[in-house]
Amino acid sequence: MSERTSLKRGQLGTTALVFMIIAASAPLTVLAGGAPTNFAVSGLLGLPLSYLVLGVILILFSVGYAAMSSRIHNAGAFYAYISQGLGPRQGIAAALLALVSYNMLQAGLYGLFGFSLSAAIFTWTAVQLPWWLVGAIGWLLVALLGVSNVDFSAKILGVLVTLEFLVVLIVMGYALFNAPEGLSTVTLRPNDFMAPGVGVLLAFSIAAFMGFESGAIYSEETKDPKRTVARATYIAVAVIAVFYGISTWALAMGIGPSSIIGEAQQYGPDLVFVWLSQYSPLLADVAHLLFVTSIFAALLAFHNAAARYFFALGRSRVLPGSLGRLGRNGAPVAGSLAQSVVGAGTVVVFALAGINSELGELFPVITLFTWFSTAAAFGLVFLMALTSIAVLAWFRKDHHGFGVFTRIIAPSVAAVAMIIVAILILINFDIMIGEDSPRMMVFIMPGIILGTGVLGALWSLRFDRHTDIHTIADDDSLPVRESDPARITTP
């Protein structure tokens, strides 16, 4: 395969890829932003247990997913796997759905980033800057890093993720040594998990894992595609699930199990910083700063994922071939620029829409971030369910040397679980986007996701049903099938 159509090989090892995956899941953002919101909305203490349960489900999903990734290496992971398992036309529909979901998730984060950085600057300097202005600064940095060598982005994300883990560990230490009600397992009891509201709990919690599946997107750029993606995915999912479970348990202990829900409802995403300031105002400021950099790390991680989807679809001619162009450094420059344009356009639209809004400073959080991230979470969970089904279909054609657990049991359980979580998100969509959002958004945002899949299915009709996609095989020179690496062409 020529260098012109392949992402630069051998740039990412297991450690770098783990950091890329964890950066997308944003550990500090989940603890400081997601956990208080989940406690407040669900009204359940079983949040730590929900992360552990979802971790087990995602490990089961990863079994078949990682096995397939050892045989098929493509920057458009969902696209490649669903195409190989269910057919190119289904793959095209899934590809466009994935592309929209990743772009919505990335663009939506600009709302949270802009609001959080603006609030932090005001706290520290008393200078009030509009969210879209600081969001634009973040956009510029992401755009510049997006066209650079992926190894450079991995180093930046590695530093940011390490700092995130460090500050979360410090927060956990303060919580456990200052627990007002002592240490207990009350948040780990099954009856505080399997209770009315568990649907909301799981729907919110799954959003904390978004991005874990991105490991396969970088498979073409890893040092050892047959092993690195699988190894990094397992490590990242296990670390994320355990870390989220322990850190949210510690937070509940630090505030007190009897108080955590009420405090979360009162302070929302500010809960961690308000609580921490009681012990160390300086540490609270540092945590607030790293909260912002945590969001930035997620922005960059999802930008890279979306850019590689643009690249994969351009390379296969599903989208204009110009999107499949690479820079001299081997980065998907055209795809990165396309994603930057999407991000910039989204910020401009919401900046104009927010002028004189009744929501005030919270406008970008309640609208741009909440609407887009919730819809994207639904889209990606739906895609994971389809991918599990595709794994089953792919292994049915050829066992590829894997056992029954990998081929049938794990992907079957994962498919059922993902379908259930997707339904839970739809059922609780109105709760997840909040009462301040217009009622019509309950139908519009999921409609965009489902509508994209339908449009993708219609778009696929213009391509040859027997065509293959551009993939890299285990020997790094041959496609997965015996035919030449194909471009999707019109009949």
Side-chain angles (χ1 to χ4, degrees), residues 123-212:
T123 299
W124 301 328
T125 67
V127 175
Q128 183 71 62
L129 296 176
W131 74 269
W132 53 264
L133 178 60
V134 291
I137 295 172
W139 172 87
L140 180 61
L141 291 174
V142 169
L144 292 174
L145 290 170
V147 296
S148 67
N149 188 295
V150 70
D151 183 54
F152 181 64
S153 291
K155 287 182 172 66
I156 297 294
L157 292 175
V159 172
L160 295 179
V161 170
T162 300
L163 291 173
E164 282 186 63
F165 273 106
L166 180 60
V167 75
V168 172
L169 288 173
I170 294 174
V171 169
M172 289 168 57
Y174 271 98
L176 297 179
F177 281 103
N178 296 278
E181 301 174 25
L183 303 182
S184 69
T185 58
V186 63
T187 59
L188 300 174
R189 296 184 308 196
N191 61 317
D192 285 307
F193 171 69
M194 296 301 297
V198 66
V200 177
L201 193 68
L202 290 173
F204 269 110
S205 296
I206 193 66
F209 289 88
M210 290 300 98
F212 93 92

Side-chain angles (χ1 to χ4, degrees), residues 8-247:
K8 189 174 180 181
R9 316 280 183 84
Q11 300 185 90
L12 300 173
T14 300
T15 301
L17 191 54
V18 168
F19 279 125
M20 299 284 276
I21 296 171
I22 293 177
S25 297
L28 184 54
T29 301
V30 170
L31 178 65
T37 301
N38 209 335
F39 275 124
V41 177
S42 69
L44 295 177
L45 291 174
L47 177 59
L49 193 57
S50 75
Y51 289 133
L52 299 177
V53 169
L54 287 172
V56 172
I57 292 172
L58 294 177
I59 286 288
L60 290 173
F61 170 82
S62 299
V63 170
Y65 183 75
M68 206 167 177
S69 75
S70 69
R71 298 294 190 271
I72 300 173
H73 316 140
N74 188 287
F78 286 139
Y79 164 44
Y81 300 167
I82 293 175
S83 292
Q84 294 289 344
L86 302 179
R89 288 183 173 173
Q90 290 84 349
I92 292 171
L96 295 182
L97 199 161
L99 183 64
V100 169
S101 295
Y102 274 117
N103 274 278
M104 288 181 73
L105 195 53
Q106 200 272 351
L109 282 169
Y110 281 116
L112 181 61
F113 177 81
F115 168 80
S116 300
L117 182 54
S118 176
I121 291 173
F122 179 75
T123 299
W124 301 328
T125 67
V127 175
Q128 183 71 62
L129 296 176
W131 74 269
W132 53 264
L133 178 60
V134 291
I137 295 172
W139 172 87
L140 180 61
L141 291 174
V142 169
L144 292 174
L145 290 170
V147 296
S148 67
N149 188 295
V150 70
D151 183 54
F152 181 64
S153 291
K155 287 182 172 66
I156 297 294
L157 292 175
V159 172
L160 295 179
V161 170
T162 300
L163 291 173
E164 282 186 63
F165 273 106
L166 180 60
V167 75
V168 172
L169 288 173
I170 294 174
V171 169
M172 289 168 57
Y174 271 98
L176 297 179
F177 281 103
N178 296 278
E181 301 174 25
L183 303 182
S184 69
T185 58
V186 63
T187 59
L188 300 174
R189 296 184 308 196
N191 61 317
D192 285 307
F193 171 69
M194 296 301 297
V198 66
V200 177
L201 193 68
L202 290 173
F204 269 110
S205 296
I206 193 66
F209 289 88
M210 290 300 98
F212 93 92
E213 77 287 353
S214 63
I217 293 174
Y218 299 98
S219 59
E220 294 183 34
E221 299 161 272
T222 57
K223 295 177 180 178
D224 184 2
K226 294 177 67 175
R227 298 177 179 84
T228 301
V229 173
R231 188 183 299 131
T233 300
Y234 284 130
I235 292 173
V237 173
V239 169
I240 290 170
V242 173
F243 195 71
Y244 286 171
I246 294 176
S247 61

Side-chain angles (χ1 to χ4, degrees), residues 255-294:
I255 294 174
S258 65
S259 305
I260 183 67
I261 293 175
E263 294 284 297
Q265 291 171 341
Q266 179 179 353
Y267 294 108
D270 286 332
L271 174 61
V272 171
F273 309 120
V274 171
W275 169 79
L276 198 57
S277 64
Q278 301 174 17
Y279 303 99
S280 173
L282 176 60
L283 183 57
D285 287 340
V286 171
H288 202 164
L289 174 62
L290 290 176
F291 175 70
V292 175
T293 61
S294 171

Side-chain angles (χ1 to χ4, degrees), residues 389-470:
I389 296 171
V391 170
L392 287 167
W394 188 69
F395 277 122
R396 185 177 180 182
K397 301 171 189 175
D398 188 334
H399 291 181
H400 296 279
F402 291 97
V404 174
F405 181 77
T406 299
R407 293 185 289 106
I408 300 175
I409 298 175
S412 296
V413 174
V416 172
M418 289 301 173
I419 290 172
I420 291 173
V421 174
I423 292 172
L424 288 174
I425 293 176
L426 276 181
I427 292 174
N428 296 286
F429 204 88
D430 57 336
I431 299 174
M432 296 180 71
I433 64 173
E435 59 183 17
D436 291 326
S437 297
R439 179 67 180 174
M440 61 182 178
M441 287 298 133
V442 175
F443 305 99
I444 291 177
M445 300 313 294
I448 291 174
I449 296 297
L450 296 175
T452 298
V454 172
L455 289 176
L458 295 175
W459 180 253
S460 71
L461 296 177
R462 65 189 296 268
F463 302 115
D464 185 349
R465 76 173 67 177
H466 300 297
T467 192
D468 198 359
I469 59 173
H470 190 137

Side-chain angles (χ1 to χ4, degrees), residues 301-363:
F302 284 119
H303 172 93
N304 287 337
R308 280 153 181 77
Y309 255 97
F310 273 121
F311 165 77
L313 296 179
R315 180 174 62 180
S316 296
R317 299 295 195 270
V318 173
L319 295 179
S322 59
L323 290 171
R325 288 203 305 263
L326 297 172
R328 292 183 180 179
N329 59 3
V333 173
S336 181
L337 292 175
Q339 206 293 316
S340 294
V341 169
V342 171
T346 304
V347 170
V348 169
V349 168
F350 276 83
L352 294 174
I355 297 176
N356 298 322
S357 170
E358 295 179 355
L359 298 176
E361 296 176 0
L362 287 173
F363 175 82

